[in-house]
Amino acid sequence: MLLALLQEETTGIEGAVNDAGEAAEEVAKEPRAVFRAFNDFFEAAGEYIISPRFVGDMLASAAVVLLGLIFYRVLTRGVPR
């Protein structure tokens, strides 16, 4: 009887330890999901930055700014006061 009581108690403690370990794994999964979302976001942003579309957009924006500056200079020097 005493042996059965000790064996049951040991199993109970091991079971509690196992349950605590499983609970800790469950709690740890949620932050990992958040970090996975951040990782996916930054990977997508990095892929966009090195994509031909982004480079083309930047070149087009620089051309528009440059042409705007040239036209501004021409108009301000060409119009009499």
Side-chain angles (χ1 to χ4, degrees):
M1 180 71 173
L2 182 59
L3 183 60
L5 182 61
L6 289 176
Q7 185 178 7
E8 182 180 333
E9 186 174 318
T10 304
T11 305
I13 292 172
E14 287 178 9
V17 170
N18 289 337
D19 289 343
E22 290 173 6
E25 288 176 10
E26 291 292 325
V27 170
K29 285 182 183 177
E30 185 175 334
R32 288 182 194 160
V34 171
F35 291 133
R36 191 172 302 122
F38 280 131
N39 188 27
D40 293 343
F41 171 75
F42 286 121
E43 281 182 3
E47 289 174 5
Y48 175 68
I49 288 173
I50 61 172
S51 71
R53 181 182 173 108
F54 179 76
V55 173
D57 288 345
M58 290 295 108
L59 291 175
S61 297
V64 167
V65 170
L66 183 63
L67 288 174
L69 287 173
I70 290 171
F71 286 132
Y72 173 76
R73 290 291 184 170
V74 168
L75 289 175
T76 55
R77 298 200 191 273
V79 176
R81 292 185 195 205

